[in-house]
Amino acid sequence: MNSRVVPPAVRTRPSACPHDCPSTCALEVEIGPDGRIGRVRGARDNSYTAGVICAKVARYAERANHSERLTHPLRRTGPKGSGAFARISWDEALDTIAEAFRVAEAAHGAEAVWPYYYAGTMGLVMRDGINRLTHAKKYSRFFSTICVNPAWSGYLAGAGILLGADPREMAKSDLVTLWGTNAVSTQVNVMTHAIRARKERGAKIAVVDVYRTPTMEQADIPLLIRPGTDAALACAVMHVLFRDGLADRAYLDAYARDTAALEVHLATRSPDWAAAITGLPAAEIEAYARLVGTTPRAFFRIGYGVSRTRNGAVNMHAVASLPVVAGSWQHEGGGAVHSVSGLYRWRKDLIEGHDVRDPAVRELDQSRIGAILTGDREALSGGPPVTAMLIQNTNPMAVAPDQETVRAGFARADLFVAVHEHFMTDTARMADIVLPATMFTEHDDLYQAGGHPHILFGPKLVEPPGECRSNHDVVCALAGRLGAAHRGFAMSPREIIDWTLEATGRGRLDALEAERFRDLAPDFRRAHFLDGFGHADKRFHFAADWAGLPYSAPGKFGPVADMPALPDHWAVIEEANAAYPFRLVTAPARNFLNSTFTETATSADKEGGPSLLVHPEDAAQLGIAAGDKVSVTSARGRVELVVRLFDGLRRGVVVSEQIQPNRVHDGGRGINTLTGADPVAPVGGAAFHDNRVRIERLPG
Ligand SMILES: Nc1nc2c(c(=O)[nH]1)N[C@H]1C(S)=C(S)[C@@H](COP(=O)(O)OP(=O)(O)OC[C@H]3O[C@@H](n4cnc5c(=O)[nH]c(N)nc54)[C@H](O)[C@@H]3O)O[C@H]1N2
Ligand SMILES: Nc1nc2c(c(=O)[nH]1)N[C@H]1C(S)=C(S)[C@@H](COP(=O)(O)OP(=O)(O)OC[C@H]3O[C@@H](n4cnc5c(=O)[nH]c(N)nc54)[C@H](O)[C@@H]3O)O[C@H]1N2
Ligand SMILES: [Mo]
């Protein structure tokens, strides 16, 4: 008899992309007969994802099933950074961490322990659960600044709340401006909706960036400016609107504050004035301004690129002022969106232990990890040194600014570090204990999107390889050993999610799980602020109250008192000078996500080695050619890169697109060796795209 075994078919299951990206895609994940994930696709029935995801997540199996994944705990056996580790048991690893935390606390108090995390996963339980341990133990609190603060503070200063027009409305616009975002690389779904508008309505797409990105390649109106000069461009456009009778006076009377002062102030902010600052010819500014002023359905998708300079919050506020002056907000397909994160307002008692948070415990600035670990008194708020850390979901040895200082901090012999990771990252190499972590298809979590108004559930779909454990499991296991009390430590992720949904008024988990994702889009009037903006007076504020923003603290985060209230070019950027004649932008790479995906061969091959885009005429003047190795130096350090010639740059501007692992660079120093950790006013953050540098050809 011929008995044939029928192989179990490939199944497809719903999920949510966990990565740090405004798109937070609804996914369909294939699971093979071997119980491992296969192809990943975008959900077609999610109106934002619309069946489209980026290439690096489509090939997620390469990352999840990677032979170099961490699969068991490790103890360091050689010097820090040597990469010498030996396998240990989970009990030994957890006992070692708990003991190190007890020793730190006994010597210096609980604030000597600093749990440190970021958004490697955006799942609310796995990302933020570490805070429950922090608060229950009164460890130093974590003030997250590295990504959104300059952008969000600028938007909030104007609009009063982090909400905006529905991004899907881009498809109904007649002029879509993608301002300071390389959406083709960083949030591909924006392009889906913008390009629909062009196909279906003949809409024009304008792109404001500092180099000819793949996004700008697709633009009808490319607006190539110098880094840190967005406010100058926005001011000149508003100048033209007022000058030519294109400002919407009736709308301004009803919805804005400080309009008269703004108009007077802008009288001298002409296109010629802005041309000298931005490098953009005045005629191009005039033409774009006329289009904005005569197109009711003008939609502005404002990205983070506007804000990663020392004047970034001021630039964001200025750009956000533009659709107000034009009155674009009143129209479907008009207005602006940066992030809709203001929508969610979760009850975080269980996830983060908000109910046991002690505001008297110091908060340490994520971006100043270098200064903190090297004992800078002011960065430590005058408190004890940090002598023990647990790090989850982040790779500060590659992504944090002022890298030489970060490196010196992690090298300290008296610092204990445990890193919970998927791979042996630059940070994991500096750790005393390394723990293997689950990936998103291996645990349950709840997600919210920043670039569109959905919440999503991502269920556990497959078993993790080896001994990987989730962030939640590690935090709970440590809490048990450290005697940290909170009911969240005794609950499963599903129980925590269920409670969080219900306590926030969003029903139960079983309902969300059945729906897979839920659209929380506010109605048109609210999304367009037709009943008023987020401030108490319901008006958009052209005069920003920088010192009055939440978390703004005099002297802590840059020269807040010097910030211009009205939209203006704030000249605090690192202008080029004789010693450092170039301005360097460290933009995101298409095939990496920050330092994630650097471990997958396909992404690494597509990106090639660490590189620097240089204008051919600048290169000629420097006597360098394509393929030459150069030394790039800022006041903070020196990095080696390979030159690629590229004419889509303003003269004097250079771009390096990737955060490569340090060891991939000749010289062992990564790109953030060049960037600075001096806080961006008014609530901190790093000016990653604002660096003056010197470039020298290296022999060989
Ligand atoms: N493929 C990929 N996707 C990503 C990421 C990644 O690294 N790779 N990172 C993720 C994360 S954490 C985030 S926060 C988002 C960020 O995504 P975006 O909102 O796109 O913001 P940025 O990464 O700051 O950079 C966007 C663009 O800003 C430009 N830029 C730099 N300086 C200026 C300036 O002064 N003015 C203007 N107008 N433009 C400027 C850069 O050249 C770049 O093209 O993307 C996420 N998605
Ligand atoms: N030069 C330069 N530097 C930058 C930027 C820039 O534009 N230029 N962008 C900045 C921005 S916007 C950001 S947001 C930061 C981001 O910086 P990071 O938050 O450090 O982002 P990643 O480099 O992606 O590192 C995330 C890590 O989390 C791990 N991880 C993912 N999921 C899990 C999990 O479930 N559990 C555990 N334990 N680990 C997990 C991944 O393996 C990865 O190593 O970088 C900043 N640095
Ligand atoms: Mo980010």
Side-chain angles (χ1 to χ4, degrees):
M1 216 174 75
N2 214 349
S3 77
R4 246 197 297 156
V5 181
V6 181
V10 171
R11 298 169 296 143
T12 301
R13 291 287 178 268
S15 186
C17 182
H19 284 288
D20 188 357
C21 171
S23 281
T24 314
C25 291
L27 302 179
E28 305 285 353
V29 179
E30 281 185 0
I31 300 163
D34 58 356
R36 306 203 302 176
I37 71 161
R39 264 204 76 81
V40 178
R41 295 190 177 81
R44 262 180 236 285
D45 59 342
N46 178 292
S47 55
Y48 187 74
T49 306
V52 179
I53 60 169
C54 66
K56 61 192 182 306
V57 170
R59 54 172 187 267
Y60 213 81
E62 188 183 353
R63 183 165 195 274
N65 307 329
H66 198 295
S67 63
E68 287 166 22
R69 251 190 93 172
L70 298 170
T71 51
H72 43 73
L74 300 168
R75 171 195 285 282
R76 184 167 56 77
T77 54
K80 291 196 177 195
S82 64
F85 289 93
R87 179 173 181 170
I88 55 171
S89 71
W90 268 101
D91 275 337
E92 183 182 345
L94 293 166
D95 289 344
T96 306
I97 299 169
E99 180 57 18
F101 283 15
R102 268 194 296 269
V103 167
E105 182 169 352
H108 305 284
E111 286 184 342
V113 181
W114 191 27
Y116 191 96
Y117 69 100
Y118 203 56
T121 172
M122 295 283 274
L124 300 185
V125 175
M126 300 300 165
R127 185 189 66 193
D128 301 335
I130 193 173
N131 284 323
R132 195 180 331 117
L133 182 65
T134 300
H135 298 324
K137 292 295 296 176
K138 297 187 191 293
Y139 293 150
S140 279
R141 294 186 293 150
F142 180 82
F143 186 58
S144 124
T145 51
I146 208 162
C147 180
V148 302
N149 288 23
W152 288 15
S153 54
Y155 194 88
L156 283 172
I161 188 169
L162 209 56
L163 283 180
D166 194 300
R168 290 163 292 194
E169 266 183 50
M170 265 184 278
K172 297 175 182 160
S173 173
D174 295 317
L175 171 63
V176 178
T177 302
L178 306 178
W179 198 313
T181 177
N182 180 4
V184 166
S185 294
T186 63
Q187 36 186 325
V188 63
N189 312 80
V190 166
M191 300 311 289
T192 307
H193 301 285
I195 284 174
R196 258 187 70 192
R198 177 152 68 193
K199 274 202 191 131
E200 293 174 7
R201 318 172 48 87
K204 294 270 184 287
I205 298 178
V207 171
V208 186
D209 206 296
V210 298
Y211 73 114
R212 199 175 62 230
T213 60
T215 307
M216 194 181 278
E217 297 274 7
Q218 303 216 19
D220 304 287
I221 306 162
L223 298 163
L224 185 65
I225 62 170
R226 294 195 184 107
T229 66
D230 299 86
L233 175 56
C235 283
V237 172
M238 292 189 281
H239 166 102
V240 173
L241 298 182
F242 280 115
R243 185 197 69 194
D244 294 354
L246 297 170
D248 190 330
R249 305 234 173 229
Y251 176 79
L252 288 166
D253 285 347
Y255 288 97
R257 208 184 67 177
D258 327 304
T259 305
L262 178 68
E263 185 172 2
V264 170
H265 160 77
L266 288 176
T268 54
R269 270 58 180 173
S270 66
D272 282 327
W273 167 84
I277 297 169
T278 59
L280 199 60
E284 288 184 39
I285 301 175
E286 291 274 358
Y288 173 66
R290 177 152 300 277
L291 204 54
V292 169
T294 55
T295 309
R297 293 165 175 256
F299 195 104
F300 298 80
R301 176 63 177 84
I302 316 173
Y304 289 96
V306 168
S307 70
R308 303 203 194 285
T309 45
R310 286 170 178 75
N311 55 4
V314 171
N315 294 346
M316 172 58 91
H317 174 251
V319 174
S321 297
L322 191 44
V324 182
V325 173
S328 322
W329 280 106
Q330 301 157 98
H331 310 286
E332 192 183 24
V337 68
H338 168 57
S339 165
V340 297
S341 301
L343 195 60
Y344 302 104
R345 300 172 175 277
W346 297 105
R347 280 277 305 276
K348 291 267 190 111
D349 309 34
L350 281 190
I351 292 179
E352 296 201 36
H354 273 184
D355 47 349
V356 296
R357 183 172 47 178
D358 179 353
V361 174
R362 73 174 170 187
E363 260 183 330
L364 300 178
D365 180 346
Q366 171 187 26
S367 300
R368 302 193 67 203
I369 181 171
I372 287 163
L373 294 186
T374 52
D376 182 299
R377 273 194 61 76
E378 182 255 313
L380 285 165
S381 304
V386 168
T387 62
M389 300 180 80
L390 167 66
I391 300 178
Q392 289 184 319
N393 313 320
T394 182
N395 184 14
M397 272 291 292
V399 306
D402 192 15
Q403 201 54 221
E404 289 295 351
T405 318
V406 177
R407 178 182 294 267
F410 274 111
R412 262 172 51 204
D414 64 334
L415 174 69
F416 172 87
V417 175
V419 172
H420 190 192
E421 251 301 344
H422 296 148
F423 291 96
M424 188 55 78
T425 59
D426 286 321
T427 308
R429 291 174 91 84
M430 298 302 279
D432 299 277
I433 298 286
V434 177
L435 306 171
T438 48
M439 286 187 183
F440 72 108
T441 49
E442 299 157 7
H443 55 236
D444 296 306
D445 217 334
L446 172 66
Y447 302 86
Q448 67 175 51
H452 58 94
H454 284 87
I455 58 172
L456 310 85
F457 180 63
K460 175 175 172 176
L461 300 175
V462 296
E463 289 304 321
E467 299 178 0
C468 293
R469 291 193 190 172
S470 75
N471 292 1
H472 177 71
D473 287 347
V474 166
V475 163
C476 294
L478 286 173
R481 282 169 168 78
L482 291 160
H486 194 282
R487 62 201 165 109
F489 295 128
M491 296 170 74
S492 70
R494 277 181 180 265
E495 288 168 336
I496 292 177
I497 294 166
D498 192 43
W499 182 94
T500 303
L501 283 165
E502 202 178 24
T504 313
R506 305 218 160 100
R508 304 294 297 263
L509 174 56
D510 49 7
L512 180 62
E513 185 163 18
E515 295 161 54
R516 294 172 294 145
F517 47 78
R518 189 180 300 157
D519 189 351
L520 298 186
D523 65 24
F524 179 80
R525 290 195 66 80
R526 177 155 161 73
H528 285 252
F529 300 119
L530 296 185
D531 298 316
F533 284 88
H535 291 293
D537 63 6
K538 306 235 173 246
R539 287 170 179 270
F540 187 95
H541 291 186
F542 289 127
D545 176 14
W546 297 114
L549 285 173
Y551 300 104
S552 172
K556 192 165 178 198
F557 300 116
V560 181
D562 299 344
M563 296 178 80
L566 291 167
D568 206 352
H569 176 65
W570 189 28
V572 292
I573 52 178
E574 274 195 3
E575 290 291 2
N577 60 21
Y580 301 106
F582 289 90
R583 304 249 307 130
L584 167 72
V585 170
T586 64
R590 183 166 188 173
N591 303 284
F592 300 151
L593 195 144
N594 303 313
S595 74
T596 305
F597 297 97
T598 55
E599 65 281 336
T600 56
T602 308
S603 285
D605 288 350
K606 282 180 188 270
E607 288 296 332
S611 62
L612 184 71
L613 305 178
V614 182
H615 193 283
E617 290 169 27
D618 283 334
Q621 218 161 54
L622 286 163
I624 56 178
D628 279 356
K629 196 200 284 180
V630 288
S631 160
V632 182
T633 310
S634 78
R636 296 163 286 265
R638 198 182 79 84
V639 170
E640 296 183 15
L641 300 168
V642 172
V643 171
R644 294 184 196 168
L645 298 183
F646 182 66
D647 64 5
L649 290 162
R650 294 262 169 231
R651 294 288 307 275
V653 177
V654 292
V655 173
S656 181
E657 272 191 336
Q658 310 107 352
I659 309 180
Q660 302 263 8
N662 294 327
R663 64 182 175 280
V664 171
H665 285 258
D666 285 341
R669 293 294 192 270
I671 195 68
N672 278 311
T673 306
L674 301 173
T675 59
D678 45 313
V680 174
V683 284
F688 287 112
H689 303 332
D690 185 6
N691 314 281
R692 56 173 160 243
V693 298
R694 168 170 88 233
I695 301 169
E696 290 146 315
R697 188 167 176 276
L698 288 169

